[in-house]
Amino acid sequence: MSRHSKNNATQMWFSHHERLKLGLGTQKQRLGADSLRKFDMCCLCLNDAVRPVCTPHGTLYCKHCLLENLASQKKAITRKMAAYEQSVAELEAEVAEKSRIVHEREIRRFEAVEGSVSTPTVLTAAAAEGDESETKRRFGDTVELKQQQLV
């Protein structure tokens, strides 16, 4: 392989043989009569334009075809917009439901943790051994743990 064929993608031009191989600019095709439309034909119905309307770009339409096409596009856009608004409303309802569930869960958790005024129960060394006389301790109390409980 020549160096040129290895670096073909790095250059912006092709050699004569590459152009021949790809068919760039070397083959001339004639368009048949059926692939060209007459100057005064409507681009939508492909018939002779009745009451022709020309766009600023030079496209020619029948007035009836143009209005019918615009009306059908407007209906399609309205239908798609209604479907979009419905999906947005469903998503908003789903988000609201999830936030309501999260809020209720937070309220239940708050009531469970903060609902009582008493101090929480903490097991001490005596309670761990089975002595039920000391199951609660107050702030500042020291707890003696056995070496076995620390391991």
Side-chain angles (χ1 to χ4, degrees):
M1 274 190 178
S2 66
R3 185 177 191 285
H4 178 72
S5 64
K6 292 179 184 175
N7 296 327
N8 190 19
T10 61
Q11 298 176 354
M12 296 176 63
W13 64 87
F14 294 112
S15 69
H16 174 69
H17 296 290
E18 291 169 339
R19 271 188 262 122
L20 286 176
K21 188 175 183 180
L22 293 173
L24 297 175
T26 59
Q27 297 176 356
K28 294 184 180 180
Q29 288 183 326
R30 290 190 176 196
L31 297 176
D34 56 340
S35 59
L36 296 175
R37 63 180 177 85
K38 294 181 199 172
F39 176 74
D40 60 343
M41 291 182 81
C42 174
C43 291
L44 295 174
C45 66
L46 299 177
N47 291 327
D48 290 336
V50 179
R51 297 177 61 196
V53 176
C54 186
T55 64
H57 296 287
T59 310
L60 190 68
Y61 299 104
C62 298
K63 187 170 186 176
H64 176 71
C65 294
L66 182 63
L67 293 176
E68 188 177 308
N69 189 3
L70 289 175
S72 67
Q73 286 181 10
K74 186 175 180 180
K75 286 179 185 178
I77 290 171
T78 305
R79 187 174 51 251
K80 288 179 182 179
M81 191 63 163
Y84 170 74
E85 289 173 353
Q86 181 182 2
S87 66
V88 166
E90 289 173 359
L91 286 175
E92 287 176 353
E94 184 178 324
V95 168
E97 180 67 21
K98 285 181 180 180
S99 65
R100 185 188 62 80
I101 290 171
V102 167
H103 183 68
E104 287 177 358
R105 191 179 304 149
E106 288 175 357
I107 289 174
R108 277 189 257 123
R109 188 179 66 211
F110 177 78
E111 289 174 350
V113 172
E114 301 293 330
S116 64
V117 180
S118 65
T119 59
T121 304
V122 177
L123 290 177
T124 61
E129 292 176 356
D131 184 14
E132 296 295 325
S133 62
E134 188 181 354
T135 57
K136 291 187 179 181
R137 66 181 181 99
R138 300 192 187 275
F139 179 75
D141 291 347
T142 58
V143 177
E144 297 177 13
L145 297 175
K146 295 182 180 177
Q147 191 67 5
Q148 296 172 355
Q149 293 175 343
L150 295 176
V151 177

